Amino acid sequence: MLKRLLLLAVVAGVAGLGIFWWLTIPAVVAAASLPPYKPNLANGLTTFNAGGCSSCHAVPNQPDRTRLGGGLALRSPFGTFYVPNISPDPNDGIGRWSEADFVTAVLKGTSPQGAHYFPAFPYTSYGHAKIEDIRDLFAYLKTLPSISGRVRDHDVRFPFNIRRNVGIWKLLFMEGGLLMPDQSRSPQWNRGAYLVNAFGHCAECHSPRNLLGGIITAQRFAGGPDPEGKGFVPNITQKGLADWSEKDIDYFLETGSTPDGDNAGGSMARVIKNISQLSAADRAAIAVYVKSLPPVEGPPRPKKKAE
């Protein structure tokens, strides 16, 4: 009887491992699925700015936004992630990547080696992007300076450092697929919705997260603790921005200045450097969309300690 129970336990364990392995197979975009395409470098630049690529990937402590050698440390409850080199360098960057490699990384969060990227890379938002925008971005990145230097490995504690587990995380929290236009809304609103929810990935910072690091859907855009432990990210629904007009939001995106005369700081200052490079029409579209977000109550801010 004991032998039979042990055998059943072994069979169940092997079956469970097989199911886990199958469920966590990294998704890829086949090169054959990408038809011939002539990239639009101007749109690639727009996508680069909308995505805030330089906010994370530019070499820290230097002024050139196009030096994408990486190295920025992103702290989180799970450990510290170090942003990779995405310059065209063939050894340390993405210079040897194929277009399919890049599209797969951005849409699916899978590396050219077939491993899951950690979701510090906001592919949960990028997964809603148009493939044409991603292809244009790849073409644009190849025009930027090649920066040598390999970034150190992430410092993430067990069991979160096991990349295969990210496959389960994706099943729980990643909803891919092109963001479809809302036919009841204006083209301007839909452009803003696309920029905010796809490459702009605004919800990735402006939403609270659960214990596994997934966005709490019911409180999307409602702010919450800064994942890096540096304060509180503001609520950008009408619960937080009721007193802001569309023009106020637009002006903030261009200059970083708030209606009460304050200025964006921290990581938002880096974001403004990118968003401010967008066309006036795109910034206005973002403002229209953000102003339309219904009020959502976010998590309570921690009480200030009495001095």
Side-chain angles (χ1 to χ4, degrees):
M1 183 64 177
L2 181 60
K3 288 184 177 179
R4 185 174 297 176
L5 289 174
L6 288 173
L7 179 61
L8 287 174
V10 170
V11 171
V14 171
L17 182 61
I19 293 172
F20 169 81
W21 203 254
W22 177 71
L23 288 174
T24 59
I25 295 173
V28 298
V29 175
S33 69
L34 299 175
Y37 180 73
K38 183 178 180 180
N40 180 336
L41 291 180
N43 185 55
L45 173 59
T46 295
T47 305
F48 175 79
N49 289 324
C53 303
S54 69
S55 294
C56 288
H57 291 279
V59 177
N61 303 317
Q62 57 83 38
D64 190 343
R65 297 170 61 245
T66 68
R67 296 178 59 82
L68 304 180
L72 180 70
L74 297 177
R75 292 170 179 80
S76 81
F78 308 101
T80 301
F81 299 94
Y82 293 90
V83 182
N85 183 332
I86 62 166
S87 80
D89 186 87
N91 297 313
D92 302 321
I94 62 173
R96 294 182 182 176
W97 286 28
S98 69
E99 188 180 54
D101 289 337
F102 187 77
V103 173
T104 293
V106 173
L107 278 184
K108 306 297 183 181
T110 302
S111 75
Q113 293 75 36
H116 292 294
Y117 282 121
F118 292 115
F121 177 26
Y123 48 75
T124 45
S125 291
Y126 294 166
H128 298 303
K130 301 173 185 176
I131 287 184
E132 294 79 9
D133 285 345
I134 299 171
R135 298 176 81 174
D136 290 343
L137 174 60
F138 183 57
Y140 174 74
L141 291 178
K142 289 193 293 186
T143 69
L144 300 182
S146 179
I147 309 299
S148 62
R150 187 173 297 276
V151 175
R152 58 163 292 179
D153 291 338
H154 302 307
D155 184 13
V156 181
R157 68 178 186 273
F158 180 84
F160 306 111
N161 61 340
I162 301 175
R163 289 181 183 268
R164 196 78 188 196
N165 289 340
V166 177
I168 298 298
W169 189 94
K170 288 180 177 179
L171 288 175
L172 293 172
F173 303 116
M174 186 173 179
E175 298 180 7
L178 180 64
L179 188 68
M180 301 306 295
D182 182 341
Q183 299 301 327
S184 69
R185 298 281 193 167
S186 69
Q188 184 185 41
W189 184 95
N190 278 295
R191 175 62 175 169
Y194 176 73
L195 290 170
V196 166
N197 290 294
F199 270 105
H201 64 281
C202 303
E204 301 291 341
C205 286
H206 286 278
S207 304
R209 294 179 179 269
N210 58 31
L211 292 176
L212 294 178
I215 288 175
I216 299 174
T217 304
Q219 292 182 305
R220 187 175 175 86
F221 297 117
D226 188 324
E228 295 189 60
K230 298 179 180 179
F232 210 85
V233 180
N235 186 325
I236 60 170
T237 73
Q238 282 304 284
K239 181 67 178 180
L241 298 182
D243 294 334
W244 290 42
S245 67
E246 289 177 8
K247 289 185 178 180
D248 290 334
I249 298 171
D250 190 347
Y251 187 72
F252 175 73
L253 296 174
E254 182 181 7
T255 66
S257 297
T258 66
D260 59 5
D262 199 0
N263 291 298
S267 59
M268 193 62 201
R270 298 198 302 269
V271 172
I272 294 296
K273 287 183 179 180
N274 296 287
I275 298 298
S276 64
Q277 302 301 310
L278 292 176
S279 68
D282 276 347
R283 288 196 306 273
I286 293 172
V288 166
Y289 175 74
V290 170
K291 185 62 183 175
S292 77
L293 294 174
V296 176
E297 188 72 52
R301 288 177 176 265
K303 294 182 179 179
K304 294 183 178 180
K305 295 180 180 180
E307 296 183 358

